[in-house]
Amino acid sequence: TYGIDFITTRLYFLYGHGLSQTVSSVEEAFKPPVHPISVLYLFITKALKNEKLKIEKGGDSELDYTYIKDAAHGVVLAYLTKNPPHKIYNISSGRSYTLKYLAKIVNDYVGYEAIDIGSGQVEGWPKRAKYLDISLANKELGYYPRYGLENGVREYMTILKNEIKLQ
């Protein structure tokens, strides 16, 4: 209408260093509506402090988590693309992961079973698509996640581990 050239990126459930997180208890993290990134942050910080978490249910709840560096990479690619055929691109990992799998990544990093989560769904879990289709961003922007969940969580845990030592 106004001749403004634009491009939009749709980011999904960002996590990583620099994003503020404040949850400190299971009750706080799992209180509906549940914020999945707060759950991830709780898993990581408790494990790094050698505190075990036993959560009765929720391990089958799943979503697409996007590491902040993957999101930044996708946004830069969108910005640098001249005359893209489309104007909206999904930037995420492009697949869903269960909380049980997330707990496994955290447990593998610390070397013991810090997070024990039972099967089932989390009450108050976001009622959104489990993942975003990133095929258009792959094809037209050349976007592919460089970190993904496993490497992103490990790098994020390393950063937080160093911060916890400083406190």
Side-chain angles (χ1 to χ4, degrees), residues 19-166:
L19 300 173
S20 61
Q21 300 291 328
T22 58
V23 302
S24 59
S25 70
V26 171
E27 295 76 22
E28 188 179 358
F30 284 88
K31 180 181 177 186
V34 175
H35 300 283
I37 303 309
S38 296
V39 173
L40 170 60
Y41 181 77
L42 179 71
F43 283 10
I44 290 171
T45 54
K46 290 296 186 184
L48 290 175
K49 292 177 181 179
N50 294 317
E51 298 175 21
K52 290 187 174 189
L53 280 179
K54 181 162 179 58
I55 302 159
E56 295 301 319
K57 68 177 186 173
D60 298 325
S61 300
E62 58 186 295
L63 276 178
D64 183 349
Y65 299 86
T66 310
Y67 190 45
I68 192 75
K69 288 185 176 181
D70 281 333
H73 175 65
V75 169
V76 168
L77 286 173
Y79 174 76
L80 294 175
T81 301
K82 302 296 181 213
N83 302 314
H86 294 89
K87 297 295 183 185
I88 301 171
Y89 295 92
N90 294 332
I91 303 296
S92 70
S93 71
R95 60 177 287 207
S96 64
Y97 299 90
T98 64
L99 281 181
K100 195 170 285 199
Y101 186 70
L102 198 56
K104 179 190 178 326
I105 294 169
V106 171
N107 290 340
D108 288 348
Y109 181 91
V110 295
Y112 72 99
E113 190 175 13
I115 314 301
D116 178 13
I117 186 166
S119 298
Q121 299 294 321
V122 172
E123 180 183 334
W125 195 250
K127 296 187 183 321
R128 296 187 190 171
K130 292 179 183 173
Y131 67 95
L132 294 181
D133 179 358
I134 61 172
S135 60
L136 197 60
N138 295 156
K139 179 181 172 188
E140 297 179 6
L141 306 178
Y143 169 75
Y144 293 90
R146 293 177 169 181
Y147 289 82
L149 188 67
E150 296 85 357
N151 292 328
V153 168
R154 283 194 283 270
E155 181 173 287
Y156 185 35
M157 289 185 75
T158 299
I159 292 166
L160 289 178
K161 182 179 178 181
N162 292 329
E163 286 182 357
I164 289 170
K165 281 183 191 176
L166 297 174

Side-chain angles (χ1 to χ4, degrees), residues 9-20:
T9 54
R10 183 181 297 123
L11 309 176
Y12 217 54
F13 292 101
L14 298 178
Y15 72 95
H17 189 62
L19 300 173
S20 61

